[in-house]
């Protein structure tokens, strides 16, 4: 898939209602929508400052503080939405965390296969069209939704978690000073990457997850008479914004502090899932915070320009929320 397959603009009109007007079928449930797979315009004068290279055999974008390694830093993993590694906005977002003193590693979780453009045709474009043209437009929307579903089938937990493990091991080697200085690895995630913050913050067994990766069968790995080996948590603390594909079960095994920036009435992270997660975290005494932002679209916290001042303010506030959380932990 070429970079042209990934859109460069996402609308902000869906901040007003829920479900979002003009959404594809994929956006009516907890999957992915166009704000997960498209970028807002990049603010004028902004450009990435880091580099794309291999780390542990995985393509990553790396952003470092100007004073590193002379001055101590900490290691932060940034997990993106469907726009992935080559998104200019994602790279600038990584740079902003680097400006705060973090060595930021942003892995290509999709191995060169960013999400297809899910932009739909607004109702205004269908006005004045013939019935046949309207049918064709709706068919195109259905096809785009199908493409998203097929893309999700290619990027499952079984594929993504082993890739992230490679990155963790490589970071512990190349950036051992930053990992040691922070007492572990911190992580932030957006949209698709948001759910993986919960997974990385958990202690899990093969039986409690669909991810098998390259693990041996539980009886071989643990030995006779022992239970299956547990994995995780991989991070010291995590923060996530408007996650997708999250289920209540993803909160069951959390072990480290997590911060959630959520959208009010978000069809891709429904209120009932969020509330179930809050109940679980409270019952299991997991340190957490949850901030719900009204009147903003799913994907608002990903760096990019908006005309609506309320969305701009919410984006800045969510960034400060996530930054403050990892700094305090």
């Amino acid at each position: 898939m070429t970079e042209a397959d990934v859109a460069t603009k996402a609308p902000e009109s869906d901040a007003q209602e829920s479900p979002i007007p003009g959404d594809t079928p994929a956006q009516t449930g907890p999957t992915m929508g166009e704000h997960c797979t498209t970028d807002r315009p990049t603010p004028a004068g902004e450009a990435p400052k880091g580099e794309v290279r291999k780390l542990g055999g995985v393509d990553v974008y790396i952003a470092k503080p100007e004073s590193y390694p002379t001055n101590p830093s900490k290691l932060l993993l940034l997990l993106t939405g469907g726009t992935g590694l080559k998104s200019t906005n994602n790279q600038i977002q990584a740079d902003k965390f680097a400006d705060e003193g973090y060595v930021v590693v942003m892995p290509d979780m999709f191995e060169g296969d960013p999400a297809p453009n899910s932009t739909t045709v607004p109702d205004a474009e269908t006005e004045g069209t013939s019935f046949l043209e309207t049918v064709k437009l709706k068919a195109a929307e259905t096809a785009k939704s199908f493409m998203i579903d097929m893309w999700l089938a290619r990027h499952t937990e079984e594929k993504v978690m082993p890739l992230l493990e490679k990155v963790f091991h490589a970071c512990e080697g190349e950036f051992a000073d930053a990992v040691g200085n922070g007492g572990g690895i911190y992580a932030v995630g957006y949209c698709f990457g948001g759910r993986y913050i919960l997974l990385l913050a958990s202690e899990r067994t093969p039986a409690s997850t669909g991810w098998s990766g390259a693990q041996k069968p539980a009886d071989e790995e643990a030995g006779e008479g022992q239970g299956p080996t547990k994995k995780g948590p991989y991070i010291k603390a995590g923060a996530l914004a408007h996650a997708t594909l999250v289920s209540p079960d993803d909160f069951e095994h959390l072990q480290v502090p997590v911060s959630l920036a959520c959208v009010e009435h978000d069809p891709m992270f429904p209120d009932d899932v969020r509330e179930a997660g809050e109940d679980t975290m409270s019952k299991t005494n997991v340190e957490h915070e949850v901030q719900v932002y009204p009147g903003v679209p799913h994907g608002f916290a990903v760096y990019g320009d908006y005309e609506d001042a309320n969305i701009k303010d919410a984006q800045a506030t969510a960034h400060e929320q996530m930054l403050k959380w990892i700094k305090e932990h």
Side-chain angles (χ1 to χ4, degrees), residues 1-70:
M1 181 175 295
T2 65
E3 291 184 51
D5 291 321
V6 180
T8 58
K9 292 185 179 180
E12 56 187 277
S13 59
D14 62 1
Q16 306 304 319
E17 299 179 19
S18 180
I20 298 171
D23 271 4
T24 64
Q27 288 174 282
T28 61
T31 54
M32 292 181 68
E34 61 186 299
H35 282 275
C36 303
T37 61
T38 58
D39 279 334
R40 292 295 305 166
T42 301
E46 296 275 8
K49 298 180 291 185
E51 63 171 339
V52 175
R53 65 176 175 87
K54 294 283 187 181
L55 181 66
V58 178
D59 286 331
V60 298
Y61 178 83
I62 297 178
K64 304 174 185 177
E66 292 183 2
S67 61
Y68 179 81
T70 303

Side-chain angles (χ1 to χ4, degrees), residues 55 62-63 68 73-78 101-105 167-168 171-172 174-187 237 326:
L55 181 66
I62 297 178
Y68 179 81
S73 185
K74 298 179 181 180
L75 198 289
L76 176 70
L77 191 74
L78 192 156
Y102 293 89
V103 173
V104 183
V105 175
V167 174
F168 272 95
C171 286
E172 290 168 350
E174 182 167 341
F175 300 112
D177 58 335
V179 175
N181 185 54
I185 295 175
Y186 297 85
I326 59 175

Side-chain angles (χ1 to χ4, degrees), residues 140-172:
E141 291 181 9
T142 301
K144 290 172 183 175
S145 175
F146 177 74
M147 290 173 64
I148 291 290
D149 291 341
M150 292 297 292
W151 181 83
L152 288 171
R154 295 196 299 273
H155 300 291
T156 61
E157 186 179 338
E158 290 85 352
K159 297 286 185 66
V160 175
M161 285 297 287
L163 182 149
L164 293 179
E165 270 200 333
K166 292 180 182 178
V167 174
F168 272 95
H169 293 323
C171 286
E172 290 168 350

Side-chain angles (χ1 to χ4, degrees), residues 58-61 84-85 106-114 163 167:
V58 178
D59 286 331
V60 298
Y61 178 83
L85 181 74
M106 185 173 76
D108 180 7
M109 297 189 292
F110 315 124
E111 299 181 292
D113 178 31
L163 182 149
V167 174

Side-chain angles (χ1 to χ4, degrees), residues 189-211:
Y190 301 83
C191 299
F192 183 97
R195 176 176 181 249
Y196 285 87
I197 299 301
L198 297 177
L199 303 187
L200 294 171
S202 300
E203 181 182 61
R204 311 165 85 213
T205 65
S208 64
T209 173
W211 166 49

